[in-house]
Amino acid sequence: MSEAPKNEPFISWQGRLERLRSNKLFEMGVISIIVVSALMIGAKTYEETSRFEQWLLYLDIAVTVFFLIEIMIRMAAEPNLLRFFKRGWNVFDFLIVTASLIPMDDSEMVLLARLLRIFRVLRLVSMIPELRMLLAALVKSIPRMGYVVLLMFIIFYIYGAIGSFLFNDVDEQLWGNISLAMLTLFQVATFESWATAVMYPVMEDYPYSWIFFLTFIFLNAFIFLNMMIGIVLDVMQKESAQIELESGEGEVAEMHGLRDDVRALQAQLDRMEATWKTPALQDSSQDRGRDREKES
């Protein structure tokens, strides 16, 4: 009983820090500081800001101290510190903030310190849930997109071989071998001056070569690209549904709640039906027992 009063101050401070961490104004303040940090990095690339270098250094120190205090607040607000490091985004923020502690005045470490401070902009991803969803969807869609990339490579290889065989005499710099031909086809796929620089010179010697280029563009620009977009959209839809399910908000969460309610009602009906059947079975067994007594 004597330990409870000792823990009450810690619990109360932890609750206050947790409310501060989840406060929208606090989150907006952190996002604003991240944007200011990004603008500082961009400002240092201009020679006109060299006269404000000392002020920028002081501002960088203030931003670093703010990030350090912010990550300490988030860690202190966590009931279990190990659970804080089990989340990937928390580990990412911790590493970024820790790397920002490298001093800028050390001539040997100044380049590394500047490069590491650039990655503070990525904290916007960890602070904004929508960006986290987009990045998670992109990462999860990479394995599925790998098969589409493999199919694209096969098409590139086939068309590259055909182009190097047929158009080698037109321009050896573009079609001299299969690697150059695949690089040329990549230029065609990006629509970067593909008609005037690639197709029209070939059509002067091979008038029907437009069939080669148009079929290649149709496969890559319309089929494979749409397949990529479809994969990303499918994964994003699943990620959005998972976020709604975890937060308990949205149509997916409502459908999941209704499904649970229906299952609970079904289980209650089954119990009620079992309760009703038990007396009926007992009555029928008693009736059969009385019939046997009468017959005997």
Side-chain angles (χ1 to χ4, degrees), residues 61-278:
I61 294 174
V63 170
T64 303
V65 172
F66 176 84
F67 284 153
L68 182 61
I69 295 174
E70 182 259 341
I71 199 72
M72 291 176 65
I73 290 174
R74 289 170 55 189
M75 293 172 65
E78 197 71 39
N80 188 356
L81 189 59
L82 292 177
R83 192 169 66 180
F84 176 85
F85 289 101
K86 287 182 179 179
R87 299 173 184 172
W89 289 113
N90 291 340
V91 175
F92 174 78
D93 290 341
F94 181 80
L95 292 177
I96 293 296
V97 173
T98 305
S100 299
L101 298 177
I102 298 176
M104 293 282 289
D105 54 354
D106 191 349
S107 59
E108 296 181 356
M109 302 291 291
V110 63
L111 180 58
L112 178 61
R114 288 179 178 177
L115 291 176
L116 291 175
R117 278 163 170 76
I118 295 174
F119 290 100
R120 291 195 300 202
V121 183
L122 290 175
R123 292 202 62 200
L124 281 174
V125 180
S126 64
M127 296 298 300
I128 302 176
E130 289 76 9
L131 293 181
R132 290 202 303 265
M133 183 191 70
L134 290 175
L135 187 59
L138 178 62
V139 172
K140 291 184 178 180
S141 60
I142 288 177
R144 295 173 59 182
M145 287 193 296
Y147 295 103
V148 181
V149 173
L150 179 60
L151 184 59
M152 289 179 62
F153 175 78
I154 294 173
I155 298 299
F156 266 82
Y157 192 85
I158 293 174
Y159 274 81
I162 295 173
S164 62
F165 292 152
L166 296 179
F167 312 138
N168 187 18
D169 55 343
V170 176
D171 192 343
E172 291 187 358
Q173 294 183 352
L174 297 179
W175 308 99
N177 51 56
I178 192 169
S179 59
L180 292 175
M182 292 178 67
L183 187 61
T184 303
L185 290 175
F186 183 78
Q187 177 184 350
V188 174
T190 58
F191 298 104
E192 181 62 30
S193 303
W194 70 276
T196 56
V198 180
M199 187 179 71
Y200 289 154
V202 174
M203 288 183 63
E204 293 179 359
D205 296 332
Y206 300 92
Y208 293 100
S209 61
W210 59 268
I211 300 175
F212 172 86
F213 292 101
L214 292 185
T215 54
F216 176 78
I217 290 175
F218 178 79
L219 288 173
N220 285 276
F222 297 103
I223 296 180
F224 294 142
L225 181 60
N226 287 328
M227 289 173 67
M228 292 279 195
I229 295 173
I231 291 173
V232 175
L233 289 178
D234 181 58
V235 176
M236 285 181 59
Q237 185 177 5
K238 293 179 180 178
E239 285 294 313
S240 178
Q242 184 65 28
I243 292 175
E244 290 181 358
L245 189 61
E246 293 176 356
S247 62
E249 300 177 355
E251 184 178 355
V252 176
E254 292 179 359
M255 292 296 296
H256 191 269
L258 289 174
R259 191 181 298 114
D260 292 339
D261 293 339
V262 171
R263 290 175 180 173
L265 290 173
Q266 183 64 39
Q268 187 176 2
L269 289 174
D270 292 340
R271 289 194 299 269
M272 294 173 63
E273 186 178 359
T275 304
W276 292 337
K277 286 182 178 180
T278 301

